[in-house]
Structures are given as structure tokens and as C-alpha cells.
Amino acid sequence: MSTSRRQFFLFTAGCLPALWPLGHSHAAVFDHSHAAWTSLLKRHVVLLRGGQASQVRYADFSKDRGDLTAYLSSISAVTIDGFSAFSLAQRQAFLINAYNAFTVELILTKYPDLTSIKELGSLLSSPWKPKWISLLGSKMSLDDIEHAMLRKRGVYDDPRVHFAVNCASIGCPMLREEAFVATRIDAQLEEQTRRFVADRTRNRFDESSGRLQLSRIFDWYGDDFKRGDRGIASLQSFAVLHADLLSDSPSARERIRSGRFDISFLDYDWSLNDVRQ
């Protein structure tokens, strides 16, 4: 083989990967650090009450719509085969980030002309049911991501997911100020749980009545806290594990640890978690 032909062959071989269809190689190069999403969150999420809650600068998010679109496109480009090749922790982080990022996108479709995500629904359909999200080769809804995938029995079996997905509402657990990543997801989920439980606007112990007042989330998804996942077999056992967060009173904490309390659920605030300019 002549020198010129050998050089041409080597050049052509080196170019082949760049000529493959994007879907063929995307799974191998997907950024599991979710750096683009973290960059957006760092710029536009505002922490409240020492990190127990957050609000979102949707007006500024809308100015970075191109960056958000690019991140969502990278999520949508992952094939089902590529997703299947991810580790379990990578899949869990991927789905949580997808849910939160597409929720922000949903808000921006009508922002600033809304005060609640529920205004994006109708009498016949909630905003979580329409299948408008391109994910893993299908059209999915937010409900599909949360209930059919993240909460599917026998896969992740982690009730802490309820403190990670954000529904763009004041009553919802905070939108985290960084992306979830496989290498730290257990610690991130644990921190999200402790942040939410410690927020007295949404969970608190009324010592005078001996009643534990919890977020309505624990009512809606109570079964997820009764299956023994991560050692949690009941809402009472969950409260016992987090007694130090539910009250500042030593006597109240001791009563919680003893399990001698009733449980009631607080009203849920569906107001948009927006930082109005």
C-alpha cells in the first residue's frame, strides 16, 4: 500500500465515529454528571430557610431557554438500549433529573401567565397526564416518569424519591440546587429527605395535642412508607427515625420516638414556587 493510500485510509477510519448516527453512540457519551442541568439550577434556584425549601427564578430561566432545551434534547436522545446499559443509580438520577427539568419546561410554556402548575391542566386532565415528553423512544407524561418508572415496585423501591421530584409548587419538596448524580445519589436523597422533614411549614409536631402534622404527600403516597423499603414500615417508624427534625423540644422528640402520637395531614400549597421579580 502506498504512503498516500495508507494516510487516506487512516484519516477515513478516524472520521467514521463522527459519521455514525447520533442515536448509535449517544448512550456511550451521555454526561452522567448532568453538568448542564446543574449549571442552570445553580443560577436559578434560590434556597430558603437554610436549605429546607427553594424557589425558582423562572423569569431568568426563560432567558436561558436555549440551555434548557439543549439539556432536554440530550435527555431525549438517550435510547431505551442506552438507558438499559446505565447502572441502576444512573437510571434513577437520569429519571429524577428528567422529571424536574421537563417540569420547569412545562412551566415556561405559559410563564409568566400562571400562578400554579394546576392551571396547565383542565377539568378532565391534570398537567401531569399529557404525553408530551420525548423519552426513551416514546412519548411520556410526567406521571409516567414518576409513577410507572421511579415508583415501580421491584426497581428502586425508595420512598425518598418523593423528596427529590419537584412539582413546581410551594408545598412540594424543594427543587434541589444541583442535579442528582449516580455517584452521590444516596447522600443526595438522604439530604433532600432531612431538609423536607425539618421544614416546620410542612411537617411539625404539636406538643399540646400530641399530634404529628405531616405534609399531604405522606397521605397521598402513604403506602410507599409502609412496605419496609429502607427499613420504613409505617409513617410512625419514619417519624421515629426523624424525631430530631420534627421538634426542637426534647420532651416532644422523646414522645415521637416512643410512637405515642396521632397523625394528621396539612393543606397543600399549590402556588407556583416562583421568585417574582
Side-chain angles (χ1 to χ4, degrees):
M1 181 183 294
S2 68
T3 300
S4 59
R5 289 187 66 187
R6 182 164 50 250
Q7 289 175 337
F8 175 78
F9 174 79
L10 292 173
F11 172 78
T12 303
C15 290
L16 281 176
L19 299 176
W20 290 339
L22 180 62
H24 179 85
S25 60
H26 185 83
V29 299
F30 182 78
D31 180 16
H32 286 289
S33 76
H34 297 270
W37 182 227
T38 287
S39 179
L40 286 164
L41 294 170
K42 291 290 187 185
R43 295 200 297 273
H44 304 315
V45 170
V46 178
L47 297 183
L48 306 175
R49 299 190 291 279
Q52 293 176 352
S54 70
Q55 290 182 334
V56 181
R57 294 191 181 103
Y58 288 107
D60 290 341
F61 233 123
S62 65
K63 297 174 185 177
D64 281 340
R65 195 75 173 275
D67 291 345
L68 177 61
T69 298
Y71 174 69
L72 294 177
S73 295
S74 75
I75 291 285
S76 295
V78 174
T79 64
I80 189 65
D81 288 341
F83 180 76
S84 297
F86 293 171
S87 70
L88 191 67
Q90 287 172 338
R91 285 180 235 161
Q92 189 178 25
F94 176 89
L95 292 173
I96 293 172
N97 292 329
Y99 184 98
N100 289 339
F102 277 110
T103 295
V104 170
E105 171 65 15
L106 179 62
I107 295 300
L108 294 182
T109 62
K110 295 296 182 181
Y111 188 85
D113 300 321
L114 78 167
T115 60
S116 170
I117 190 173
K118 298 191 84 173
E119 295 170 19
L120 297 171
S122 67
L123 292 176
L124 300 177
S125 178
S126 81
W128 297 278
K129 293 191 179 301
K131 295 181 181 293
W132 61 279
I133 297 168
S134 295
L135 193 67
L136 306 180
S138 301
K139 287 295 184 180
M140 296 191 186
S141 67
L142 289 169
D143 269 358
D144 290 333
I145 299 174
E146 181 179 9
H147 304 309
M149 301 185 77
L150 283 167
R151 294 180 62 221
K152 184 178 180 180
R153 296 298 295 160
V155 183
Y156 308 106
D157 295 332
D158 195 333
R160 298 177 302 175
V161 70
H162 295 295
F163 314 119
V165 294
N166 180 265
C167 65
S169 304
I170 295 295
C172 191
M174 63 176 288
L175 178 62
R176 190 172 177 85
E177 72 277 20
E178 64 175 357
F180 287 87
V181 292
T183 54
R184 294 188 294 116
I185 193 166
D186 185 69
Q188 289 176 312
L189 288 170
E190 190 61 29
E191 183 178 40
Q192 287 294 107
T193 301
R194 293 184 64 83
R195 284 171 158 184
F196 183 69
V197 174
D199 187 349
R200 302 290 165 70
T201 69
R202 294 177 286 193
N203 303 282
R204 54 183 179 264
F205 185 74
D206 182 2
E207 196 166 6
S208 62
S209 66
R211 184 175 295 275
L212 183 60
Q213 300 172 326
L214 296 178
S215 164
R216 187 67 63 177
I217 286 175
F218 293 102
D219 182 22
W220 295 329
Y221 304 113
D223 285 348
D224 289 4
F225 295 88
K226 299 176 182 178
R227 292 170 171 157
D229 299 328
R230 303 190 63 81
I232 300 169
S234 67
L235 289 181
Q236 283 79 6
S237 66
F238 180 85
V240 168
L241 287 173
H242 299 92
D244 61 317
L245 303 175
L246 291 165
S247 177
D248 294 326
S249 165
S251 60
R253 289 177 174 179
E254 184 57 35
R255 183 163 181 177
I256 295 171
R257 292 189 186 100
S258 74
R260 294 181 292 106
F261 55 84
D262 295 322
I263 293 177
S264 61
F265 301 102
L266 298 168
D267 291 337
Y268 202 81
D269 188 348
W270 286 106
S271 302
L272 188 66
N273 60 341
D274 184 27
V275 177
R276 289 290 180 180
Q277 302 298 309

